[in-house]
Amino acid sequence: MRRSSTIILSLAATFSVSCTQPPATSSPRPQWAVAIHGGAGVLDPAKYGDRAPDYADGLRRALNVAVTSLKSGEASINVVEQVVATLEDDPLFNAGRGAVLNWDGEVEMDASIMSGGDHSCGAVAGVRTVKNPIRLARLVMDRSRHVLFAGAGAEAFADQMAMPRMEPSYFHTQRRHESWLRYREKHESPDQHGTVGCVALDRQGRLAAATSTGGLTGKQPGRVGDTPIIGAGTWADDETCAVSCTGTGEEFIRHGVAQRISDLMANRGASLNEAARHVIENILRPGDGGIIAVDRSGAIAMVYSTGGMFRGAATSDGRFEVAIWDEPENPRQAP
Amino acid sequence: MRRSSTIILSLAATFSVSCTQPPATSSPRPQWAVAIHGGAGVLDPAKYGDRAPDYADGLRRALNVAVTSLKSGEASINVVEQVVATLEDDPLFNAGRGAVLNWDGEVEMDASIMSGGDHSCGAVAGVRTVKNPIRLARLVMDRSRHVLFAGAGAEAFADQMAMPRMEPSYFHTQRRHESWLRYREKHESPDQHGTVGCVALDRQGRLAAATSTGGLTGKQPGRVGDTPIIGAGTWADDETCAVSCTGTGEEFIRHGVAQRISDLMANRGASLNEAARHVIENILRPGDGGIIAVDRSGAIAMVYSTGGMFRGAATSDGRFEVAIWDEPENPRQAP
C-alpha cells in the first residue's frame, strides 16, 4: 500500500493547517440536512440526456419526502428509511422495483441502515421477494438481536415479520430484462453502478444512513457487495458523519470506505469534504464510484470519480438541488 | 456516543506523548510472527480445567503448522489459510468440523481472509457442506472478481471450484448436539464465543489475517456475524496490522472493530497494543470478546474482555506459547 502511505503523509500536512485554524465559515449549522443518491457510473450524457428529466424528477420526489419529514422534526433514522423505500419503489433506480437481474434472471437485493447515536444497525443480503428491503433491514435492527441476515434466512425473517412480499413480475422491468439479455449474450455491462441511498441529520442532531441495491447485472447468485456491509457501504456516527456509498462494491469493502471517512474525521481532524475526497480520489481508483455524506454540523459532501452520480441535497437553509453531472440539473427551491 | 468521544480525547493525550518519543524498545523486529485464537468466552476454569490440556494441544498443533511454514519463508496469506484450515479440522473448535448447530440443527459456517499488501480479500457466509470454509474464502479472493458469497450462491461457487464437500455427519459432534438440545429446550447458551483465527507477518514483511466460525449455537438460519465481514472480524494492512476477532459478532460489526484498530495506528500513532486495548476495553462492552493482532514490526497483541480466550503466539525470536486464561498455560519452546 505505497499509495496509501504517501497519501496519509499529504493528508497530515493538509490537516495540520486545518486543525490549527478556526473553521473558514462561521454560519450556524442548518437545523437539518439530507442527501440522496441513485447510483453512479459512466452515465454518458449523450445516452442519458433524454432520460435526465425523469431521473431528476425521481430524485426530487424522494428529496421532497425527506424535506417534509425533517421539517416536521422526524428522526433521521425514520427519514432515511422512508426516502430509500421511496427510491426502491421507483423503477428507474436499481433497488426494490427495477432492481437488476442476476445471472439466473432473478433479483437479489441487499440493504442496510445505521443510526449514528448508538451504532445500532441492520442489514439484509440476497432477498428476492421483499417489496422494500430497507424496511426489512430496519426490522433486523429493531426486532432481532442480530445485524445481518442473508439469503433464505433473510426471507424467513421477513416471514416472521409479516413483511409485504411481491411476485417476481413486480420487480422486473423491460429495461432490466434487456440489460440482462445483453449481459448474457455479449457480456456487455450497463454503464451504471446502481444503488440508492440517503443520509440525514435531524433537528436533534442525530445522524443516520441507509443504502439499498439490486447489485450488478448478471452477477453470480449469492454475490454480496458493499451495500449490506456496515463500514463499507453504510456508516453513521453522531460524532462524525453518516455515509452511503455506490460503486464497485468489492473496492468499497476492501478499503472499508464509509467507516474510513468517519475515521479520518475523528482521528485526523479532516473536514467531511477533505475526508470524502481523500478516500474517493486517493484510496479508490478512478471510476470506482461515489459517496454521499452529511456531518454533525450539517455539511454535505457528494463526491464521485465516475462520469456522473444521480444525487440530491437539501437543508433547512433552503438548499434544494438534484444533479447528475458536475453541475446541478435544474436547481429549484423546494415547493 | 458520549463514551467514544471521551475516550478519543484521552487517547489523544496518550498518543501525543508516544508520538514525540522514540519507541521504548529498540530490539530488531522478529523475522516473522504469528498469533492464533480458538474463541473467547466465560470459560469457567472449574468447567474447562479438565479439557484445558486438549485445547492447549490443539492450539499447539496449529501453531506448529504456522511456525514450520513461516520458518521456511512461506507467504503469510498461505500461512493463515493453512492454520485456520487446521483449526477447522479440529472438532474442539467452533469452525469446520465441530461447528455449532443453528436453530434447525444444521451447520452454517462463515469465513474470511485478507492480504495486507493490496487489501485483496475473500469471504463466504452460511456454507453448509464445504469441508474448509477458509479455503473457499481464499478461492473467492483468488478466483472470482468478488469479495463475498452467501448461502446457496456460496455453495454454487464451491461447486464451480470443485471444493471438497462433506456430509452433515462430518461436521456434527456429540458435544455440539448436546449444546443445541440445551439451547432448544432451555434457551441455555454455551459460555463460549467460538471462532478460530490466525494473523501472521512473514519474512517479507507481509501481513495477513483469516477467521472462520460456525457462529452461535441455536442461531436463526441466515444470521451472519462479524467473521465474514471485512473490517469487522478480519482486517489486514501492511502499513499497520493484521487482526482477527472473536466474540459477540454484532458488536464487532457495529464498531468496525478490526479496521478500527488499524485506523488508530495509522491516524493516531497508537501502538498495536494501545489500539487493541482501547477498542476492546473502551469501545466494546466487558464480555464482548477479544482480538488477536500482529503489526508490521512483529509486535503481537492478544486482548480480550471475557473470562478467557483460547490463543497462542510464536515468533522467530523463539517465543512459542499457548494460553486460555491470563497466564500462559504450559509455555514451552517450539520443537
Side-chain angles (χ1 to χ4, degrees):
Chain A
M1 289 287 297
R2 295 290 148 241
R3 194 171 54 160
S4 159
S5 116
T6 315
I7 285 141
I8 283 174
L9 290 173
S10 69
L11 258 177
T14 311
F15 296 169
S16 65
V17 175
S18 60
C19 288
T20 53
Q21 291 180 337
T25 169
S26 59
S27 60
R29 86 164 179 86
Q31 293 180 311
W32 52 262
V34 60
I36 63 173
H37 71 78
V42 176
L43 301 182
D44 180 359
K47 196 172 150 196
Y48 275 85
D50 288 354
R51 280 180 286 165
D54 293 338
Y55 280 100
D57 282 346
L59 291 167
R60 255 182 236 112
R61 270 193 301 273
L63 203 52
N64 271 323
V65 168
V67 168
T68 304
S69 295
L70 287 164
K71 262 186 185 164
S72 75
E74 189 62 79
S76 56
I77 190 73
N78 297 331
V79 173
V80 298
E81 178 188 347
Q82 178 64 35
V83 169
V84 166
T86 302
L87 290 163
E88 285 175 339
D89 291 344
D90 187 333
L92 280 176
F93 301 103
N94 175 19
R97 191 171 177 214
V100 301
L101 307 181
N102 70 10
W103 182 254
D104 295 338
E106 296 171 328
V107 296
E108 275 187 299
M109 300 172 289
D110 306 330
S112 66
I113 187 166
M114 185 167 189
S115 170
D118 59 359
H119 282 206
S120 59
C121 48
V124 293
V127 297
R128 291 161 181 255
T129 64
V130 175
K131 179 168 182 281
N132 288 113
I134 196 65
R135 296 204 188 280
L136 185 60
R138 176 68 188 271
L139 289 172
V140 173
M141 170 180 152
D142 288 349
R143 306 274 299 277
S144 85
R145 58 193 181 103
H146 300 308
V147 162
L148 172 59
F149 283 101
E155 294 284 345
F157 181 72
D159 289 344
Q160 289 168 30
M161 296 292 117
M163 289 290 291
R165 314 298 267 279
M166 308 304 273
E167 295 296 318
S169 60
Y170 167 80
F171 299 102
H172 291 204
T173 62
Q174 184 61 26
R175 188 170 144 230
R176 300 305 187 196
H177 186 76
E178 286 162 10
S179 290
W180 174 73
L181 277 178
R182 278 195 300 276
Y183 188 82
R184 289 278 298 204
E185 288 165 10
K186 306 179 198 169
H187 273 267
E188 192 182 303
S189 292
D191 66 352
Q192 184 194 341
H193 302 301
T195 307
V196 306
C198 181
V199 292
L201 171 75
D202 66 24
R203 286 177 183 275
Q204 285 72 42
R206 295 170 297 196
L207 289 165
T211 314
S212 180
T213 191
L216 302 172
T217 297
K219 68 184 175 184
Q220 282 183 259
R223 175 264 183 183
V224 179
D226 63 318
T227 298
I229 307 298
I230 298 296
T234 301
W235 188 255
D237 185 329
D238 279 1
E239 297 293 320
T240 53
C241 61
V243 184
S244 172
C245 301
T246 173
T248 307
E250 282 72 12
E251 294 303 315
F252 284 72
I253 294 174
R254 282 184 188 116
H255 298 287
V257 165
Q259 181 181 345
R260 189 181 285 247
I261 291 169
S262 169
D263 279 322
L264 286 171
M265 295 181 70
N267 294 324
R268 283 271 176 172
S271 73
L272 177 67
N273 202 48
E274 284 170 332
R277 289 211 166 274
H278 172 64
V279 173
I280 294 296
E281 294 172 4
N282 301 127
I283 301 292
L284 294 175
R285 305 165 308 189
D288 272 346
I291 66 98
I292 56 168
V294 57
D295 75 10
R296 57 189 296 194
S297 77
I300 290 171
M302 299 190 284
V303 182
Y304 55 96
S305 62
T306 46
M309 179 166 76
F310 299 111
R311 63 197 189 277
T315 68
S316 58
D317 296 341
R319 178 179 180 184
F320 185 98
E321 66 188 36
V322 299
I324 303 175
W325 297 288
D326 279 355
E327 295 303 315
E329 315 305 313
N330 315 316
R332 64 169 77 153
Q333 288 301 105
Chain B
M1 288 284 298
R2 293 290 149 244
R3 193 171 53 158
S4 159
S5 119
T6 314
I7 285 142
I8 283 173
L9 290 174
S10 69
L11 259 179
T14 311
F15 296 168
S16 64
V17 175
S18 60
C19 289
T20 53
Q21 291 181 336
T25 169
S26 59
S27 60
R29 86 163 177 86
Q31 293 180 308
W32 52 261
V34 60
I36 62 174
H37 71 77
V42 177
L43 300 182
D44 181 358
K47 196 173 150 196
Y48 276 85
D50 288 352
R51 280 180 286 164
D54 294 338
Y55 280 101
D57 283 346
L59 292 168
R60 255 182 237 114
R61 269 193 302 273
L63 203 52
N64 271 321
V65 168
V67 168
T68 305
S69 296
L70 287 164
K71 264 187 185 165
S72 74
E74 189 61 80
S76 55
I77 189 73
N78 296 331
V79 173
V80 298
E81 178 188 346
Q82 178 63 36
V83 169
V84 166
T86 302
L87 290 162
E88 286 176 339
D89 290 345
D90 187 333
L92 280 176
F93 301 103
N94 175 19
R97 191 170 177 215
V100 300
L101 307 180
N102 70 11
W103 182 253
D104 295 338
E106 296 171 328
V107 297
E108 274 186 299
M109 301 171 288
D110 307 331
S112 66
I113 188 166
M114 184 167 191
S115 171
D118 59 359
H119 281 205
S120 58
C121 48
V124 293
V127 297
R128 292 163 181 254
T129 66
V130 175
K131 179 170 181 282
N132 288 111
I134 196 65
R135 296 204 188 281
L136 186 60
R138 176 69 188 271
L139 289 172
V140 172
M141 170 179 153
D142 288 348
R143 306 275 299 277
S144 84
R145 59 194 180 103
H146 301 305
V147 163
L148 173 58
F149 283 101
E155 294 284 345
F157 181 71
D159 289 343
Q160 289 168 30
M161 297 290 118
M163 289 290 290
R165 315 298 268 278
M166 307 305 272
E167 295 295 319
S169 60
Y170 168 80
F171 299 102
H172 291 204
T173 62
Q174 184 61 26
R175 188 170 145 229
R176 300 305 187 197
H177 185 76
E178 285 163 10
S179 290
W180 174 74
L181 278 177
R182 279 197 299 276
Y183 188 82
R184 289 277 299 204
E185 287 164 11
K186 306 178 199 169
H187 273 268
E188 191 182 305
S189 291
D191 66 351
Q192 183 194 342
H193 303 302
T195 308
V196 306
C198 181
V199 292
L201 171 75
D202 66 24
R203 286 178 182 273
Q204 285 72 44
R206 294 169 299 198
L207 290 165
T211 315
S212 180
T213 191
L216 302 173
T217 297
K219 66 183 175 183
Q220 281 184 259
R223 175 263 183 184
V224 179
D226 64 317
T227 298
I229 306 299
I230 298 296
T234 300
W235 187 256
D237 185 329
D238 278 1
E239 299 292 320
T240 54
C241 61
V243 185
S244 171
C245 301
T246 174
T248 306
E250 283 71 14
E251 293 303 315
F252 284 72
I253 295 174
R254 281 182 188 118
H255 298 287
V257 165
Q259 181 181 346
R260 188 181 286 245
I261 291 169
S262 169
D263 279 323
L264 286 171
M265 295 182 70
N267 294 325
R268 282 272 176 174
S271 72
L272 178 66
N273 202 49
E274 285 170 332
R277 288 211 166 275
H278 172 64
V279 173
I280 294 296
E281 294 172 4
N282 301 126
I283 302 292
L284 294 174
R285 306 166 307 190
D288 273 346
I291 66 99
I292 57 167
V294 57
D295 75 10
R296 57 188 296 194
S297 77
I300 290 171
M302 299 190 285
V303 182
Y304 56 96
S305 62
T306 46
M309 180 167 75
F310 298 112
R311 63 198 188 277
T315 68
S316 58
D317 296 341
R319 178 179 180 185
F320 185 97
E321 66 189 36
V322 300
I324 303 175
W325 297 287
D326 278 355
E327 295 303 314
E329 313 307 311
N330 314 316
R332 64 169 77 155
Q333 289 300 105

